[in-house]
Amino acid sequence: MYNAAGVADSNTATVTVQQTALSAPANLNAIMQTTTSVQVSWTGCAGAQHYEVCRRELGGVVHKVGESTTTAYTDNSAGPNTTYVYQVCASPGSGTACTSPLSNQDIATTMLFSSVSSNSPILLVHVTELLAAVNAVRAASPGSAGAPVTWEQILQGSPSQPVPTLHGPIYGENIMALRRTMDAALQTLLGITPPAYTDPTLPGSPRVRIKAIHVTELRSRAQ
């Protein structure tokens, strides 16, 4: 401070620079490319200079896996047969932390499935892979919700609900049990209720024809 009497120091002034809060990125979509890579894309937000890509897996916490100045990112650090949960947030400047909330969540499971077509029979390998996919999704949740399950557990041990066997029939209740367990895992992991299935009811007896769509719908929930 300066006046006719001379010069004196004023009290220390503190200036706080408020960073602009950005809106959350939206419409995030994660898709397995290979068993060790996942493509993540989203809708950007105004004012973002870059985006931070976050991931969690195996019941762990959310952690940053990379950055992108576009609205897409390829995660090449994934491992096989694992369900990953992705989100992104937006930053207004280089070297600046995100100021937006996290986007919606989406999962990708790095698992290869055997071929299935509308004209081919549904085999033991197809439903065995579906049970593995269910357990991969469950493994992404913490605690007991992430524990693997067996056919006996999801079929509740009923003799009228037989475990699938090699060269044996695949019953409607086998698919229904997989649906119940998959949807419960997604509800726990993401807090979402998946859309309805084609043919919502598949009785175990009398026997019903298991179609390719019944298999691919379950696969799509993991992927």
Side-chain angles (χ1 to χ4, degrees):
M1 180 175 67
Y2 173 81
N3 59 26
V7 178
D9 292 334
S10 68
N11 293 333
T12 301
T14 301
V15 178
T16 300
V17 178
Q18 297 288 344
Q19 293 187 3
T20 302
L22 302 177
S23 59
N27 303 314
L28 182 136
N29 187 38
I31 300 176
M32 183 198 85
Q33 286 192 315
T34 71
T35 56
T36 57
S37 67
V38 175
Q39 179 68 34
V40 187
S41 61
W42 58 91
T43 300
C45 56
Q49 189 273 337
H50 72 272
Y51 299 90
E52 295 187 358
V53 182
C54 302
R55 188 185 86 188
R56 59 189 170 97
E57 67 276 350
L58 301 177
V61 298
V62 176
H63 58 98
K64 178 180 171 181
V65 293
E67 294 183 0
S68 176
T69 56
T70 69
T71 56
Y73 178 81
T74 300
D75 180 10
N76 290 313
S77 64
N81 302 316
T82 305
T83 294
Y84 295 96
V85 185
Y86 289 90
Q87 290 178 283
V88 298
C89 61
S91 167
S94 178
T96 302
C98 285
T99 62
S100 81
L102 287 167
S103 70
N104 64 293
Q105 303 177 91
D106 194 28
I107 68 171
T109 302
T110 52
M111 181 179 293
L112 290 177
F113 293 103
S114 300
S115 176
V116 62
S117 68
S118 58
N119 297 319
S120 63
I122 304 306
L123 305 174
L124 176 63
V125 64
H126 297 130
V127 292
T128 300
E129 289 171 347
L130 288 176
L131 182 59
V134 166
N135 280 325
V137 174
R138 286 176 59 86
S141 294
S144 60
V149 290
T150 65
W151 280 113
E152 289 80 4
Q153 288 171 317
I154 68 172
L155 288 167
Q156 302 170 346
S158 171
S160 64
Q161 301 170 1
V163 172
T165 58
L166 185 64
H167 306 309
I170 306 301
Y171 289 94
E173 185 51 39
N174 299 141
I175 300 298
M176 295 296 291
L178 288 167
R179 288 176 177 179
R180 290 192 298 268
T181 313
M182 176 67 84
D183 288 356
L186 291 172
Q187 180 69 47
T188 299
L189 182 61
L190 301 178
I192 64 169
T193 301
Y197 291 92
T198 301
D199 302 326
T201 301
L202 294 171
S205 179
R207 192 177 301 174
V208 298
R209 179 171 177 258
I210 306 303
K211 305 173 186 176
I213 186 64
H214 302 147
V215 172
T216 56
E217 281 179 329
L218 276 162
R219 289 177 177 181
S220 69
R221 278 158 161 76
Q223 294 174 321

